[in-house]
Amino acid sequence: MTTALGRSGGRLLRLALEVAYPPTCVLCGAPGWGELDLCQGCLADLPGLAPSCGHCARPLAQGMPDGAICGQCQHRPPPYDRCLACFRYQGLVRKLMGDFKFRQRLALARLFGQLLAETARWESESCLPEQLVPVPLHPSRLRQRGYNQSLEVARVLGRALGVDVESQLVERVIATPPQLGLAREARLVNVRDAFRLRHPVTAGHLAIIDDVVTTGATVGELARLLKAAGARRVDVWAIARTG
């Protein structure tokens, strides 16, 4: 009874918010499509990921079947089980991610969380994770930025999917330099031992939430830590994936 009332109250709250703040396209200002803050035309203009590797989500060459395993994953599989991403990190997606991450456009968290929820439902509805683990920021970076963009997306995503967000499971103990511009090997060294567990891992299936996956060094280091602590499966969910 209490749960039913809670769900009813949640629906009423969402309806009130939609009336007060109707979805509006963040790119052109037109009415949003459904509940999204994007119109259908602008959504169609965003760079899709397919065809992409069925393991790491790295874009594949044109002509290769979507979901094929890339040569790098065949030779050296990443420590996570699967990566899901909504878009390629280019064009308008790159601009929106920059606005969200560096220009205080926190309202974009709702859009990114909704888009990632739709991708997750489409790709893995039969095996959703038990918990979402946003990539943590070091306290010094968090003070500088004022928010953790991965956590903001995870909150929207968790509500949409009904999955718990475990934001206190892992902490970042090394203030690593920015990964931007570093080669793959340098990125791996940069994040080595950067994370530490704050609590025991109790879920068998986890999904790491990140904004953009590039070489996969950061999420790979976090996945290794979670698996060493007993997680059976660790996926990576991100808004965008670089080529």
Side-chain angles (χ1 to χ4, degrees), residues 45-78:
D45 288 339
L46 298 183
L49 201 61
S52 60
C53 173
H55 197 156
C56 71
R58 187 176 286 107
L60 298 171
Q62 290 296 325
M64 293 188 68
D66 187 35
I69 305 302
C70 70
Q72 184 169 317
C73 285
Q74 292 182 40
H75 176 66
R76 186 189 297 173

Side-chain angles (χ1 to χ4, degrees), residues 7-215:
R7 289 175 180 169
S8 177
R11 286 193 294 269
L12 290 173
L13 177 59
R14 286 194 298 274
L15 179 61
L17 289 173
E18 287 171 10
V19 171
Y21 305 101
T24 303
C25 182
V26 297
L27 290 172
C28 72
W33 185 40
E35 296 181 354
L36 294 177
D37 288 320
L38 271 178
C39 68
Q40 194 169 5
C42 286
L43 179 60
D45 288 339
L46 298 183
L49 201 61
S52 60
C53 173
H55 197 156
C56 71
R58 187 176 286 107
L60 298 171
Q62 290 296 325
M64 293 188 68
D66 187 35
I69 305 302
C70 70
Q72 184 169 317
C73 285
Q74 292 182 40
H75 176 66
R76 186 189 297 173
Y80 49 81
D81 291 272
R82 191 184 182 194
C83 179
L84 295 180
C86 302
F87 306 106
R88 293 183 189 236
Y89 185 58
Q90 57 186 223
L92 291 171
V93 170
R94 187 166 188 158
K95 177 189 180 302
L96 287 173
M97 294 303 299
D99 288 346
F100 176 49
K101 193 170 179 177
F102 303 115
R103 300 180 189 93
Q104 306 289 318
R105 288 192 66 185
L106 274 169
L108 287 170
R110 180 173 77 166
L111 172 63
F112 291 144
Q114 290 171 334
L115 290 169
L116 195 48
E118 286 304 307
T119 300
R121 288 191 188 103
W122 178 261
E123 296 282 351
S124 59
E125 188 162 3
S126 61
C127 54
L128 289 176
E130 299 161 61
Q131 293 178 347
L132 307 178
V133 181
V135 174
L137 293 179
H138 189 269
S140 61
R141 185 71 58 82
L142 183 59
R143 285 193 297 271
Q144 180 185 42
R145 184 170 296 162
Y147 58 95
N148 178 349
Q149 70 278 359
S150 298
L151 174 57
E152 297 303 320
V153 171
R155 285 171 171 157
V156 177
L157 179 61
R159 288 194 296 270
L161 297 179
V163 178
D164 290 337
V165 177
E166 183 49 89
S167 61
Q168 300 300 313
L169 179 61
V170 182
E171 62 181 339
R172 196 164 194 147
V173 293
I174 299 177
T176 55
Q179 296 278 70
L180 186 66
L182 296 180
R184 182 179 184 277
E185 294 304 320
R187 287 174 180 255
L188 291 172
V189 172
N190 196 30
V191 297
R192 191 169 295 157
D193 300 322
F195 302 105
R196 181 173 62 196
L197 285 173
R198 300 183 64 186
H199 308 291
V201 173
T202 58
H205 184 187
L206 302 167
I208 297 168
I209 309 303
D210 203 0
D211 52 357
V212 181
V213 174
T214 49
T215 62

Side-chain angles (χ1 to χ4, degrees), residues 211-229:
D211 52 357
V212 181
V213 174
T214 49
T215 62
T218 299
V219 292
E221 181 69 13
L222 190 47
R224 272 189 289 269
L225 177 67
L226 295 172
K227 285 203 165 187

